[in-house]
């Protein structure tokens, strides 16, 4: 079997770098280079474990291999072949850096190509469908089923194709919703960097009497100090789903009188 190998002790430490010594340079994974023939290797670095898992899932599906994660936490991922052919890969965190490096690689599968690959999860299918939907106005369920089967040798039912299309649609529309929610912040930033800018956002309200103001929530908690008392607080939520404190007060007890005092002052301040 042809493979590159680095022992597991590399997971816990990095080479000492001092004086004029320089740490060896390692290749960085680039998603645009990923293809069916892409070669992973020891030393390859990733920006996150999610980046590695998404790339490796893509490669496994393209090559008709089923994989499973036998170790999957915040610091490392160990993946093996479901066919028990001896394939194994390990990626783990590099010291205190925000980098993850491939520390172990038994990269040759001896098992046969599989059909109906379970590594082609709904998330993977949805991502593939979303890429198709960005370039085509109408993507039919039968087209999704046929394309996934013919291009990747993965059989999916009509029901699953429909569900995966809904996930893909949510991915695409979710990005648009997020961008629209940032309009207020974008407007504020334009006015901050250039006080002469004019930015106006017109909104359609459900009813003319309903004002487009943020939500306000109030709550209280007991203070665990020798002086005791209760902390009352009002928190607001703006159209960007950002939360921030509006007002807080400290009183002796959590009573109606205390809340009346707090809310009266709050309403006086905000109108």
């Amino acid at each position: 079997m042809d493979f590159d190998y680095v022992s597991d002790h590399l997971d816990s430490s990095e080479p000492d770098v001092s004086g004029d010594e320089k740490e060896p340079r390692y290749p960085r994974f680039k998603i645009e280079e990923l293809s069916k023939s892409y070669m992973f290797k020891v030393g390859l670095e990733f920006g996150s474990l999610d980046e590695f898992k998404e790339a490796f899932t893509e490669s496994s599906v393209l090559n008709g291999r089923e994989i499973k994660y036998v170790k999957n936490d915040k610091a490392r991922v160990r993946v093996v072949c479901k066919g028990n052919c001896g394939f194994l890969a390990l990626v783990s965190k590099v010291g205190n850096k925000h980098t993850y490096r491939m520390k172990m690689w038994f990269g040759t599968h001896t098992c046969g190509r599989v059909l109906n690959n379970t590594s082609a999860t709904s998330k993977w299918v949805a991502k593939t469908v979303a890429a198709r939907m960005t370039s085509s106005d109408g993507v039919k369920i039968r087209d999704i089923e046929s394309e996934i089967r013919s291009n990747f040798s993965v059989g999916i039912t009509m029901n699953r194709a429909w569900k995966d299309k809904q996930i893909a649609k949510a991915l695409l529309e979710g990005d648009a919703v997020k961008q629209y929610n940032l309009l207020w912040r974008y407007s504020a930033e334009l006015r901050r960097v250039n006080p002469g800018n004019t930015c106006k956002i017109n909104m359609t309200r459900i009813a003319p009497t309903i004002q487009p103001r943020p939500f306000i929530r109030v709550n209280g908690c007991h203070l665990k100090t020798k002086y005791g008392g209760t902390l009352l607080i009002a928190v607001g939520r703006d159209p960007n789903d950002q939360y921030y404190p509006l007002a807080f007060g400290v009183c002796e007890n959590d009573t109606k009188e205390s809340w009346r005092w707090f809310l009266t002052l709050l309403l006086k301040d905000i109108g």
Side-chain angles (χ1 to χ4, degrees), residues 51-62:
E51 182 183 49
F52 163 71
K53 287 186 288 186
E54 288 183 10
F56 208 72
T57 297
E58 178 80 13
S59 177
S60 299
V61 174
L62 290 175

Side-chain angles (χ1 to χ4, degrees), residues 218-247:
V218 294
N219 206 343
C221 67
H222 297 287
L223 299 174
K224 306 295 184 179
T225 66
K226 71 174 184 178
Y227 299 107
T230 301
L231 173 67
L232 308 180
I233 187 168
V235 178
R237 187 184 75 180
D238 66 14
N240 291 330
D241 281 338
Q242 303 295 313
Y243 292 83
Y244 52 92
L246 291 174

Side-chain angles (χ1 to χ4, degrees), residues 49-50 53 69-78:
L49 291 179
D50 285 338
K53 287 186 288 186
Y69 297 103
V70 294
K71 184 71 174 178
N72 187 6
D73 55 33
K74 294 181 179 180
R76 68 182 63 187
V77 167
R78 189 189 300 267

Side-chain angles (χ1 to χ4, degrees), residues 62 81 147 156 161 259 271:
L62 290 175
C81 176
E147 183 175 342
I156 60 176
W259 278 111

Side-chain angles (χ1 to χ4, degrees), residues 105-126:
W105 175 254
F106 291 81
T108 302
H109 285 273
T110 58
C111 57
R113 185 183 179 94
V114 299
L115 299 176
N116 300 325
N117 195 334
T118 58
S119 296
T121 61
S122 290
K123 181 179 179 182
W124 178 86
V125 175

Side-chain angles (χ1 to χ4, degrees), residues 23-93:
E23 184 179 355
R25 284 192 173 186
Y26 295 93
R28 191 80 173 187
F29 172 75
K30 298 178 181 179
I31 187 63
E32 60 270 16
E33 296 178 355
L34 184 63
S35 65
K36 182 178 179 179
S37 58
Y38 184 85
M39 297 296 294
F40 293 88
K41 58 185 178 181
V42 170
L44 188 63
E45 293 188 340
F46 300 84
S48 67
L49 291 179
D50 285 338
E51 182 183 49
F52 163 71
K53 287 186 288 186
E54 288 183 10
F56 208 72
T57 297
E58 178 80 13
S59 177
S60 299
V61 174
L62 290 175
N63 287 281
R65 310 294 183 181
E66 284 187 306
I67 58 172
K68 63 180 179 180
Y69 297 103
V70 294
K71 184 71 174 178
N72 187 6
D73 55 33
K74 294 181 179 180
R76 68 182 63 187
V77 167
R78 189 189 300 267
V79 59
V80 299
C81 176
K82 277 191 175 182
N84 296 320
C85 69
F87 171 87
L88 182 147
L90 171 67
V91 173
S92 63
K93 198 171 188 297

Side-chain angles (χ1 to χ4, degrees), residues 197-216:
N197 279 336
T198 298
C199 300
K200 294 184 179 295
I201 300 177
N202 293 326
M203 297 186 300
T204 301
R205 300 199 298 272
I206 300 175
T209 56
I210 300 178
Q211 297 298 317
R213 66 174 55 197
F215 288 97
I216 297 174

